[in-house]
Amino acid sequence: MRRLIAAALLLLPLAACGAQAAPGAAAASLVWAIETQPITLNPQQWAQNKVRLLVFNQFDALLSRAADGSFHPWLAKAWQVSADGRTYTLDLREDVTFHDGTRFDAAAVKANLDQFQVPGYNAAVAAIQLHAFDRAEVTGPYRLRITLKEPDALFLDFLASPYAGQVSPKSLKNAKDLKFGGPDLVGTGPFILDRYVQGQEIHYRRNPAYAWPPAGAAHQGPAHLAEITYRFLGEAAVRVGALTSGQVQVIEGVPATEVALIRKDPRLTLKTSLNSGTAYSYYFNTDHPPFDDRRVREAFRAAVDVDAVLKAVYQGTATRAWSIVGQKSPFYDASLEGSFGGDAAKANALLDAAGWTGRDAEGYRTKDGRRLTVREVASAPFVRDRRDVLSQAVQAQVKQRAGIDFQVRILDQGAAQKALDDGAYELFGNSRGDSDAGAALNLILPAGAAINRTHFKDPRVDRWLAAASATSDQAERKDLYVKAQRAAVRENAVVFPLYVPADQIAAHGSVQGLGFDPASGTPASAYDVRTGT
Amino acid sequence: MIKRLATGLGVLWAAATAAYLALLLAPGDTVDILVGDGPDTPEIRARIVAEWGLDRPEIVQYLSYLWRLLHGDLGRSYQLQRGVGEILAGQAGPTAQLTLAAAGAGILLAGIVAVGTAGRGRWWRGAASAAELVSVSVPPFLIGIVLLTVFSFTLGWFPVSGAEGVRALVLPALALGLPLAGVLGQVLRGGLERALEQPFAVTARARGLTERALVVRHALRHALIPAVTMAGWFIGTLLGGAVITEVLFGRPGLGQVATQAVSGRDLPVVMAVVLLSAVVYVAVSTLLDLAYRLIDPRIRG
């Protein structure tokens, strides 16, 4: 019986996935289990960082972006920015065709840019990423001039983002579900989307004509894989089981609890990459007590032993954050390292000084008979990476070490938004996956900015961020962003950085060429992926 | 028959209205949902309000919702930006398959175990009863993980995910059907045992009928009414179980559409799922009525 089971163990995983898994053979197809279901497959509607890997299978952007923040050619082979920062001239590749056979040219790029001006197409992108956009003019078959209303350092980042994924103008007109995308929304990418089953899988086949990979790709010409299937497996334990039993060859989203298991298995490989954008941080609401007092904000940070908390929750797989901006970003300010956290004595001294000297029956600090209570509001659909457990660990620490009553409320999106609108919170957690951390800072720090939920106001910071947006000199931008980070993290203590979000890929040893998108740190498209040794 | 139809329509209208009111009264508003986690400025909000017609009075929005419903137009999903009818059409099939298979598996298992153990010795009954208790009280999520670990990851007999072919249906149907089998088995055995103590059973035994034949030919009919009532109620709840099962097994279906829609407050999709469940309830209760008449001739009339 035992031998029978052993034999079954060896044979059946192979049988289960049929021809796809024959190791060593010229297996040119792959099954990859992913965690997140796409809300949309239209790159210009893209909102989930975790589906970048799908977007860039089917679509190419105009530029590509390297890990150091520099820009490189993709569908645009060259570009020039005028001295006043308001005119961009793009020279396009002349050998590119869409999957539907239509030619990629300057008129197509203009059609894509103009699409964002259609009311109701993508209000958020029109108002944020394209706020400075004025007009695009075709000045030659493969040459285009874009005029901005004002200089915008983030415009190049837009050209390198999924939003600049080029869609065939014909399909922009004819697609059945334009905003959702799907097989009839056509791109120029290395793979052609040919099947999508909501809740189950998405299937691509190779684009045999592909010859225009972004700078930095590991090879030229068509993709190695003839086809690739992404299965949606939302449950982490099921993804890992599917991988170890050979039913899928690659998974992303490996929970901390399974990392050791995968590292121990000699047949499997594990890669991780920090995400770009902002670190997962707590932001303090400085609008009302108790966090209107800088000493209380600092005391909260000092009360938490962040290393111990991260170790307990993520079993040593999380990277501690020291600033709003994550370590992956070229704008990260390393001088903030070691500047806060893990000092209970300091926390208590600060709270004493701030007047929270009383204690109630449950051991919480009080002032004028009021308990030192702070509330976190979180929206359930955006709670990931066990952030609820992280909150509980922080809750235990601030209670034990400083007598702070930290209440964690996880609500549905409508209720959470209402609490945020009403200011019924003292603390909220947030991370952003922007490939340019400056974009996130613009949304978080300036007075009255879209997600300035700290109500932090500092005219200097507003000036620095505006200046950084107006220049495309990367060194100058870094100087300005460093100043802004120091003001928010060290001088004003309005933010409590916790950890830098990361992505993981686990795969069978026979799968080569897996990697991460240098701009975002999330898994890259399947263009360079191959099987066999 | 016309009365039944009218009642059915009334139930549907009540369900649609209740869902509408519940979502209207819940905290936060629709614009918040559509803004999502993204940037949030007055300009973006204004554009969204105009695009979705959210500036009209609520009563107008409600009436136009009912009007469109009457014309078979379920509206567009806020989250997925597609027609709701189209989303559900693609997902209803796999869910129907799953719930029917689960109901079939549950009823079959319950029938076999109950008929096999009714009136048997204490040990048999105890074992069956314990198994039934476990299958009812363990969450379907856990049953699913255990089934996957044993039969998919370790033995490799069944694929982990997908909705193609019968093999992919076995584990999810079992995960969903086992609690049904547990509840039904208990009720059915109780009914059988009560029937076996009735005077007609004594008469039948006296005529020389074997115990097995007695159970199958006579007692079963008596035990079926409470079991069918129970099964009807349980089949109505299968959609709830399908939510977990579909996500776990990576299957397409209404369950995962519904969870996504509820947590994202995707109004049109939530309403459509509520309506669809109401349709299922009406259909199941109608079928139950028919079933009673078939089982017990005294109800016919």
Side-chain angles (χ1 to χ4, degrees), chain A residues 182-216:
Chain A
D184 51 346
L185 198 70
V186 168
T188 60
F191 290 94
I192 299 167
L193 172 64
D194 58 4
R195 190 170 74 239
Y196 166 68
V197 184
Q198 190 184 348
Q200 180 179 312
E201 67 184 22
I202 181 162
H203 181 268
Y204 297 91
R205 67 187 154 82
R206 175 167 51 199
N207 172 7
Y210 193 73
W212 42 88

Side-chain angles (χ1 to χ4, degrees), chain B residues 3-298:
Chain B
K3 201 175 146 209
R4 269 220 85 90
L5 206 69
T7 320
L9 281 177
V11 169
L12 291 185
W13 171 76
T17 307
Y20 195 89
L21 281 178
L23 288 160
L24 197 70
L25 296 176
D29 68 22
T30 312
V31 185
D32 292 332
I33 311 312
L34 292 168
V35 169
D37 201 28
D40 180 358
T41 65
E43 193 195 352
I44 294 173
R45 286 184 167 255
R47 287 200 195 199
I48 288 171
V49 165
E51 187 189 340
W52 293 91
L54 297 170
D55 46 353
R56 297 172 302 163
E58 268 131 17
I59 183 75
V60 175
Q61 293 189 41
Y62 167 70
L63 287 176
S64 81
Y65 159 69
L66 282 187
W67 182 249
R68 277 184 283 119
L69 218 55
L70 272 176
H71 293 77
D73 176 5
L74 293 168
R76 286 180 74 77
S77 155
Y78 294 162
Q79 258 191 333
L80 299 173
Q81 312 268 12
R82 301 164 71 197
V84 173
E86 190 192 338
I87 294 172
L88 296 193
Q91 306 289 308
T95 298
Q97 234 178 39
L98 173 64
T99 44
L100 285 179
I107 291 169
L108 198 69
L109 269 174
I112 291 171
V113 173
V115 169
T117 56
R120 287 286 192 94
R122 205 182 213 158
W123 194 90
W124 278 99
R125 296 187 61 246
S129 197
E132 282 157 3
L133 204 65
V134 168
S135 73
V136 175
S137 47
V138 173
F141 174 81
L142 208 62
I143 296 180
I145 287 271
V146 169
L147 288 175
L148 273 174
T149 305
V150 175
F151 295 105
S152 179
F153 303 154
T154 308
L155 295 174
W157 293 353
F158 301 102
V160 57
S161 80
E164 280 134 23
V166 178
R167 278 209 321 168
L169 193 60
V170 173
L171 293 183
L174 273 180
L176 195 55
L178 276 175
L180 172 63
V183 171
L184 217 53
Q186 299 259 359
V187 175
L188 202 54
R189 187 170 47 253
L192 282 175
E193 283 171 354
R194 270 193 306 280
L196 288 176
E197 284 159 16
Q198 305 260 324
F200 78 83
V202 181
T203 323
R205 283 200 194 93
R207 287 205 325 258
L209 213 61
T210 65
E211 196 68 17
R212 188 77 14 225
L214 177 64
V215 168
V216 174
R217 278 193 228 150
H218 297 279
L220 199 54
R221 190 177 274 239
H222 288 254
L224 271 181
I225 291 271
V228 165
T229 307
M230 200 52 133
W233 165 77
F234 215 98
I235 288 167
T237 68
L238 281 183
L239 187 63
V243 171
I244 299 154
T245 313
E246 283 166 3
V247 173
L248 194 64
F249 288 88
R251 282 178 61 85
L254 294 173
Q256 46 93 15
V257 169
T259 31
Q260 232 182 337
V262 168
S263 69
R265 273 273 216 86
D266 194 342
L267 233 69
V269 177
V270 174
M271 308 273 233
V273 172
V274 168
L275 275 181
L276 200 68
S277 338
V279 171
V280 171
Y281 268 101
V282 169
V284 167
S285 72
T286 308
L287 287 176
L288 278 187
D289 272 4
L290 291 175
Y292 291 148
R293 288 162 201 227
L294 281 178
I295 295 163
D296 191 341
R298 287 171 300 184

Side-chain angles (χ1 to χ4, degrees), chain A residues 407-426:
Chain A
Q407 297 181 355
V408 182
R409 296 164 67 206
I410 294 170
L411 307 169
D412 78 78
Q413 201 178 327
Q417 189 62 46
K418 177 152 195 323
L420 291 174
D421 291 346
D422 296 348
Y425 66 97
E426 283 73 45

